[in-house]
Amino acid sequence: MKRRYKLLIGFAITTMILLVIFFITRDKKVYYLSLGDSLASGQTPNNTIGKSYGDYIAEYFEDKEILEFYTKDFSKSGYRSVDLLNDLESNKEITIDGKKISIKNALIKADLVTVSIGANDLFYKLNVGTEFDLNEFDDIYSYVDETIKDVDKLLYELRKSCKEQIMVFGFYNPFTNFSSSLANVVEPVITYANTKMESIVRKYDMTFVDIHDTFLANDNYLPSFLEIHPNLDGYYAMAKSAIRLIDKKILAK
């Protein structure tokens, strides 16, 4: 009887140890969701879909053997804040490896969500083209404020579904190679938009990823004069900006 009792205790202890190891190991894995527009999708200057900043971040987790799951399939070129908000309201589903995944369920599971959104909203409303004159607007910054209000609604809904780390990318000036005069005219608008964006990101206890100066100092990230999308070096630079924050806010815990 004593031997049986000892065996039962030993079995119970072993089981507890295995459970502790399981939960510790599981908690170290990262469920990663990349949401947003063409930057989240990885649209290239050649108008194709390639590696995005999210793919590079996922590779970083894979190298550390801590990636549980990753998808950027909820993102789409041309997406504005209202499009992603509609996906949340309809609880959009995608299929991966034969399994359906809803966006809200993915957000609930996520340890990290990265978001790039708002650029399409901004430039559609401003109607920026080859010609752009600030004097055409009574108050151009009111247009920026309208855009940020749309982003605010989106971030509010994202935070309701995901209680973990959400990182939101700021804006870069996409016209540095296209036209220096246009770039100079748009620059104060981009700066203002980034200030407003960072403010609402922090309001929802999210992390702002500033990429403005990185792109300004490296115009080779935007190699095409007629395209506003970065090359692979640009996407990798975006990923590195996020990874520096990931190391501090997620992996250092």
Side-chain angles (χ1 to χ4, degrees):
M1 181 68 85
K2 288 184 177 180
R3 184 181 177 185
R4 185 180 176 186
Y5 183 67
K6 289 179 179 178
L7 286 173
L8 286 173
I9 293 176
F11 176 77
I13 292 173
T14 302
T15 302
M16 288 178 64
I17 291 171
L18 290 173
L19 284 172
V20 169
I21 292 172
F22 168 76
F23 282 111
I24 289 174
T25 304
R26 187 188 67 172
D27 288 344
K28 287 183 178 179
K29 296 289 185 179
V30 178
Y31 190 109
Y32 171 37
L33 190 62
S34 178
L35 302 177
D37 50 25
S38 54
L39 296 179
S41 295
Q43 185 167 327
T44 71
N46 300 320
N47 203 29
T48 59
I49 299 297
K51 283 180 107 172
S52 67
Y53 60 80
D55 294 311
Y56 285 116
I57 293 171
E59 285 181 358
Y60 179 72
F61 291 139
E62 282 182 332
D63 289 342
K64 290 183 171 292
E65 299 182 347
I66 58 172
L67 182 66
E68 176 186 348
F69 175 83
Y70 161 67
T71 186
K72 63 177 182 179
D73 289 356
F74 287 108
S75 62
K76 189 174 181 179
S77 294
Y79 255 27
R80 293 177 291 168
S81 302
V82 65
D83 298 311
L84 187 49
L85 188 59
N86 287 338
D87 286 351
L88 285 169
E89 291 174 349
S90 65
N91 200 17
K92 180 180 177 179
E93 289 186 338
I94 59 173
T95 302
I96 298 178
D97 297 331
K99 295 181 180 180
K100 287 187 176 181
I101 302 173
S102 71
I103 189 169
K104 285 188 176 179
N105 186 251
L107 283 165
I108 290 169
K109 291 181 177 179
D111 300 294
L112 171 65
V113 179
T114 54
V115 185
S116 55
I117 204 76
N120 290 318
D121 308 56
L122 182 62
F123 293 120
Y124 286 157
K125 286 186 178 181
L126 296 182
N127 194 28
V128 176
T130 54
E131 300 293 332
F132 182 74
D133 186 358
L134 284 173
N135 295 321
E136 293 179 0
F137 297 87
D138 293 331
D139 182 7
I140 192 170
Y141 297 102
S142 67
Y143 286 82
V144 178
D145 292 339
E146 286 179 24
T147 295
I148 299 302
K149 283 181 182 178
D150 292 338
V151 177
D152 192 318
K153 294 175 186 176
L154 171 63
L155 297 188
Y156 172 76
E157 292 299 326
L158 284 174
R159 180 48 86 201
K160 281 168 63 177
S161 294
C162 178
K163 305 305 180 184
E164 301 300 328
Q165 183 62 241
I166 300 177
M167 294 187 171
V168 183
F169 283 89
F171 305 109
Y172 60 83
N173 191 328
F175 304 112
T176 50
N177 261 352
F178 179 69
S179 165
S180 58
S181 59
L182 178 58
N184 290 336
V185 171
V186 171
E187 180 62 22
V189 181
I190 300 293
T191 301
Y192 179 78
N194 273 326
T195 300
K196 300 291 285 188
M197 178 71 94
E198 184 173 8
S199 177
I200 63 166
V201 166
R202 296 190 184 281
K203 180 173 77 170
Y204 294 112
D205 193 26
M206 300 176 183
T207 301
F208 181 73
V209 185
D210 191 347
I211 55 173
H212 174 266
D213 291 349
T214 297
F215 272 76
L216 205 61
N218 297 275
D219 57 10
N220 59 302
Y221 292 162
L222 299 166
S224 174
F225 295 128
L226 301 177
E227 256 292 329
I228 64 174
H229 295 96
N231 55 20
L232 289 178
D233 289 338
Y235 281 119
Y236 184 63
M238 291 179 70
K240 286 200 299 183
S241 295
I243 287 169
R244 282 193 289 270
L245 296 168
I246 288 167
D247 284 341
K248 294 177 182 178
K249 295 179 177 289
I250 298 179
L251 301 188
K253 291 183 178 180

